[in-house]
Short mmCIF file of all heavy atoms in Angstrom, two decimals:
data_model
loop_
_atom_site.label_atom_id
_atom_site.label_comp_id
_atom_site.label_asym_id
_atom_site.label_seq_id
_atom_site.Cartn_x
_atom_site.Cartn_y
_atom_site.Cartn_z
N PRO A 41 -1.82 -27.08 -7.86
CA PRO A 41 -1.27 -27.15 -9.22
C PRO A 41 0.26 -27.32 -9.21
O PRO A 41 1.00 -26.40 -9.57
CB PRO A 41 -1.71 -25.80 -9.83
CG PRO A 41 -1.82 -24.88 -8.65
CD PRO A 41 -2.17 -25.71 -7.46
N ILE A 42 0.66 -28.51 -8.81
CA ILE A 42 2.11 -28.74 -8.61
C ILE A 42 2.87 -28.55 -9.94
O ILE A 42 3.97 -28.00 -9.96
CB ILE A 42 2.35 -30.15 -8.02
CG1 ILE A 42 1.67 -30.23 -6.64
CG2 ILE A 42 3.86 -30.44 -7.88
CD1 ILE A 42 1.73 -31.57 -5.97
N LYS A 43 2.24 -28.98 -11.05
CA LYS A 43 2.93 -28.86 -12.34
C LYS A 43 3.17 -27.37 -12.65
O LYS A 43 4.27 -26.99 -13.06
CB LYS A 43 2.05 -29.51 -13.43
CG LYS A 43 2.72 -29.66 -14.75
CD LYS A 43 1.92 -30.62 -15.65
CE LYS A 43 2.31 -30.43 -17.09
NZ LYS A 43 1.58 -29.35 -17.77
N SER A 44 2.16 -26.55 -12.43
CA SER A 44 2.33 -25.10 -12.69
C SER A 44 3.40 -24.52 -11.78
O SER A 44 4.21 -23.68 -12.21
CB SER A 44 1.03 -24.33 -12.43
OG SER A 44 0.02 -24.79 -13.24
N ILE A 45 3.39 -24.96 -10.52
CA ILE A 45 4.38 -24.42 -9.58
C ILE A 45 5.79 -24.81 -10.05
O ILE A 45 6.72 -23.99 -10.06
CB ILE A 45 4.11 -24.93 -8.14
CG1 ILE A 45 2.75 -24.39 -7.65
CG2 ILE A 45 5.24 -24.53 -7.19
CD1 ILE A 45 2.27 -25.00 -6.34
N ARG A 46 5.91 -26.06 -10.49
CA ARG A 46 7.23 -26.52 -10.97
C ARG A 46 7.67 -25.69 -12.18
O ARG A 46 8.82 -25.25 -12.27
CB ARG A 46 7.14 -28.00 -11.35
CG ARG A 46 8.49 -28.65 -11.53
CD ARG A 46 8.37 -30.09 -11.91
NE ARG A 46 7.75 -30.25 -13.22
CZ ARG A 46 7.15 -31.35 -13.64
NH1 ARG A 46 7.08 -32.41 -12.87
NH2 ARG A 46 6.61 -31.40 -14.83
N GLU A 47 6.75 -25.45 -13.09
CA GLU A 47 7.09 -24.65 -14.28
C GLU A 47 7.52 -23.23 -13.90
O GLU A 47 8.45 -22.67 -14.48
CB GLU A 47 5.87 -24.58 -15.23
CG GLU A 47 5.70 -25.86 -16.03
CD GLU A 47 4.31 -25.97 -16.68
OE1 GLU A 47 3.54 -24.98 -16.65
OE2 GLU A 47 4.02 -27.06 -17.18
N CYS A 48 6.85 -22.67 -12.90
CA CYS A 48 7.20 -21.31 -12.46
C CYS A 48 8.64 -21.27 -11.93
O CYS A 48 9.41 -20.36 -12.25
CB CYS A 48 6.27 -20.86 -11.33
SG CYS A 48 4.62 -20.51 -11.86
N PHE A 49 8.96 -22.26 -11.10
CA PHE A 49 10.32 -22.25 -10.54
C PHE A 49 11.36 -22.58 -11.62
O PHE A 49 12.46 -22.03 -11.61
CB PHE A 49 10.42 -23.20 -9.33
CG PHE A 49 9.92 -22.55 -8.05
CD1 PHE A 49 8.61 -22.70 -7.65
CD2 PHE A 49 10.76 -21.74 -7.29
CE1 PHE A 49 8.14 -22.07 -6.49
CE2 PHE A 49 10.30 -21.10 -6.13
CZ PHE A 49 8.98 -21.27 -5.73
N ALA A 50 11.00 -23.44 -12.56
CA ALA A 50 11.94 -23.75 -13.66
C ALA A 50 12.21 -22.48 -14.46
O ALA A 50 13.38 -22.15 -14.76
CB ALA A 50 11.35 -24.84 -14.56
N GLN A 51 11.15 -21.76 -14.76
CA GLN A 51 11.27 -20.51 -15.52
C GLN A 51 12.12 -19.49 -14.75
O GLN A 51 12.93 -18.77 -15.32
CB GLN A 51 9.85 -19.98 -15.76
CG GLN A 51 9.74 -18.71 -16.55
CD GLN A 51 9.79 -18.99 -18.05
OE1 GLN A 51 9.63 -20.14 -18.46
NE2 GLN A 51 10.06 -17.98 -18.84
N LEU A 52 11.90 -19.45 -13.44
CA LEU A 52 12.68 -18.53 -12.60
C LEU A 52 14.18 -18.78 -12.81
O LEU A 52 14.95 -17.85 -13.02
CB LEU A 52 12.30 -18.74 -11.12
CG LEU A 52 13.33 -18.35 -10.07
CD1 LEU A 52 13.38 -16.84 -9.91
CD2 LEU A 52 13.02 -18.98 -8.71
N PHE A 53 14.55 -20.07 -12.79
CA PHE A 53 15.98 -20.34 -12.91
C PHE A 53 16.50 -20.13 -14.33
O PHE A 53 17.66 -19.79 -14.52
CB PHE A 53 16.30 -21.75 -12.36
CG PHE A 53 16.27 -21.75 -10.85
CD1 PHE A 53 15.20 -22.28 -10.15
CD2 PHE A 53 17.29 -21.14 -10.12
CE1 PHE A 53 15.15 -22.23 -8.75
CE2 PHE A 53 17.25 -21.08 -8.73
CZ PHE A 53 16.18 -21.62 -8.05
N VAL A 54 15.61 -20.29 -15.31
CA VAL A 54 16.02 -19.97 -16.68
C VAL A 54 16.28 -18.46 -16.79
O VAL A 54 17.30 -18.01 -17.31
CB VAL A 54 14.92 -20.40 -17.69
CG1 VAL A 54 15.22 -19.83 -19.07
CG2 VAL A 54 14.79 -21.90 -17.74
#
Side-chain angles (χ1 to χ4, degrees):
I42 298 176
K43 189 166 162 275
S44 300
I45 296 171
R46 194 181 65 201
E47 283 164 9
C48 289
F49 277 93
Q51 181 83 15
L52 156 76
F53 285 103
V54 169

